[in-house]
Amino acid sequence: MIRFGIIGTNTITEKFVKAARLAEGAEIAAVYSRTEARANEYADKLGIEHRFTSLDEMLQSDAIDAVYVASPNAYHAGHAMACMEHGKHVLCEKPAASNARELREMIEAAKRNDVLFMEALKSTLMPNFTAIRNNLHKIGRVRRFFASYCQYSSRYDAYKQGTVMNAFKPELSNGSLMDIGVYCVYPAAVLFGKPNAVQAEAYMLESGVDGNGSLILKYGDLDAVLSYSKISNSYVPSEIQGEEGSIVINHISEPSQVRIHYRDGRVEDITDGSQIEDNMMYEVQEFVSLLAQGKLESEVNSHASSLAAMEVMDEARRQIGLVYPADAN
């Protein structure tokens, strides 16, 4: 049984706790919060035994084996590094770091301490993404990957009224690319690796982060066209176009329906009907299964995939002029 401690007391961690309890071999054992009142409130609500207001105390405790890091993006690297230096395995919420430099340091820390470090990008570990990978050969030579994830942020209304919430603060390494665009970038990294070139455009908000943007990733004989936004909605599916057919994906962030449209007019449904609604369970199961096998890196959400995705986002940010305080450290 892998006993998790949690850093972060927010909506995403509540979903994680629910999903982890569906995974075989996982237990939620502890939570860390800066205030005792919040730690107790959260732990009581979710039935978590151990609660800490000192991160060092939680990391020194023998009550946990691993930590799920879901603090704001800007704190991921510091929190994950502290966990790994204490010999704890780390499942780190996406994006794993503020930039590639931080991510390289995190990967080095994992190797130095012989612990598992994996980015918690859920979509690439879902059964329907596995179905995409297993059936990719059927569409012939791939020529284009189109991914769209545009979701109007519930916090944008407050922003327009003059209240800048965490989702739009550069000091927390937030914005459209990091929070939403990563769901388009990461699958490209898993399927095709690191591109040869990146072309980026974005609409910048006055707070200093991007509201929406688009990327073209060049891979030689194929390209990836990515569209993402936190200030508008889109209902367009994503698609992998091959010379013999196209794989149409209803939601790139949570693929629940996947079909192949062949050039001759045939349509093949390759959807994995076993996929459950609490789909964060798959990242937990991957993490726990890796530890059970004595492995310290995922073959899907690998260090190389995470680094390729982060390097794409670094280059995109350079082109659109999006700079975070974390970049100067």
Side-chain angles (χ1 to χ4, degrees):
M1 185 67 68
I2 302 301
R3 302 164 300 166
F4 281 92
I6 295 174
I7 297 177
T9 53
N10 47 44
T11 302
I12 193 68
T13 54
E14 289 191 26
K15 291 181 178 178
F16 175 82
V17 170
K18 183 180 179 182
R21 286 173 173 160
L22 298 174
E24 184 177 347
E27 177 186 340
I28 307 300
V31 62
Y32 159 76
S33 180
R34 289 171 296 177
T35 67
E36 185 175 359
R38 178 57 179 157
N40 287 330
E41 176 190 10
Y42 187 88
D44 289 343
K45 176 182 178 181
L46 298 177
I48 301 172
E49 180 179 359
H50 303 284
R51 51 288 307 261
F52 296 89
T53 55
S54 165
L55 183 57
D56 280 343
E57 286 183 15
M58 184 173 82
L59 298 181
Q60 291 168 9
S61 168
D62 61 4
I64 63 170
D65 310 298
V67 179
Y68 171 61
V69 176
S71 47
N73 298 343
Y75 304 137
H76 284 181
H79 284 155
M81 295 274 283
C83 295
M84 292 187 284
E85 296 297 352
H86 281 84
K88 306 300 184 184
H89 307 286
V90 171
L91 178 60
C92 187
E93 190 51 59
K94 61 78 193 166
S98 295
N99 51 52
R101 174 188 53 78
E102 286 186 349
L103 183 55
R104 291 189 191 96
E105 293 174 356
M106 296 159 79
I107 293 170
E108 290 170 5
K111 294 177 178 178
R112 183 170 62 249
N113 292 286
D114 292 319
V115 294
L116 170 61
F117 167 68
M118 189 183 88
E119 187 166 4
L121 196 291
K122 65 180 182 178
S123 58
T124 47
L125 296 169
M126 293 179 191
N128 278 308
F129 191 82
T130 301
I132 294 168
R133 296 174 65 213
N134 289 343
N135 289 276
L136 193 60
H137 66 281
K138 294 180 179 180
I139 64 172
R141 177 169 290 189
V142 176
R143 291 304 189 185
R144 174 163 291 174
F145 171 50
F146 169 74
S148 173
Y149 186 22
C150 303
Q151 180 175 293
Y152 189 94
S153 172
S154 60
R155 297 165 180 83
Y156 187 51
D157 286 338
Y159 177 88
K160 290 188 289 185
Q161 297 299 318
T163 301
V164 181
M165 302 182 75
N166 288 353
F168 297 104
K169 289 184 177 179
E171 58 266 36
L172 296 180
S173 303
N174 282 332
S176 181
L177 175 63
M178 297 290 270
D179 295 341
I180 295 288
V182 65
Y183 282 108
C184 299
V185 175
Y186 205 97
V190 171
L191 293 172
F192 310 116
K194 183 181 177 181
N196 301 323
V198 177
Q199 181 180 334
E201 299 287 345
Y203 172 72
M204 302 299 293
L205 300 174
E206 291 182 357
S207 69
V209 303
D210 56 325
N212 64 22
S214 59
L215 301 178
I216 299 177
L217 313 183
K218 300 297 292 184
Y219 286 95
D221 61 348
L222 72 94
D223 57 27
V225 180
L226 315 179
S227 175
Y228 50 88
S229 176
K230 295 187 77 172
I231 59 176
S232 63
N233 284 326
S234 175
Y235 306 94
V236 177
S238 297
E239 184 177 53
I240 306 173
Q241 301 172 9
E243 292 185 353
E244 302 301 323
S246 297
I247 298 177
V248 179
I249 308 153
N250 65 336
H251 301 297
I252 195 62
S253 63
E254 295 183 298
S256 58
Q257 184 182 83
V258 187
R259 292 192 173 108
I260 302 177
H261 292 252
Y262 292 100
R263 204 157 41 82
D264 62 9
R266 289 178 297 123
V267 177
E268 181 183 3
D269 191 338
I270 60 171
T271 303
D272 188 322
S274 70
Q275 183 169 298
I276 65 172
E277 185 175 351
D278 293 312
N279 46 47
M280 287 181 71
M281 187 275 290
Y282 298 107
E283 67 189 45
V284 184
Q285 196 64 70
E286 170 80 356
F287 191 86
V288 172
S289 296
L290 289 169
L291 289 176
Q293 299 170 58
K295 297 181 179 180
L296 299 181
E297 182 179 356
S298 170
E299 293 181 4
V300 182
N301 287 14
S302 64
H303 296 167
S305 290
S306 291
L307 193 54
M310 189 58 67
E311 287 175 344
V312 165
M313 293 193 289
D314 274 8
E315 174 59 20
R317 289 200 296 116
R318 185 192 69 79
Q319 292 183 26
I320 65 176
L322 175 52
V323 180
Y324 296 136
D327 298 330
N329 295 336

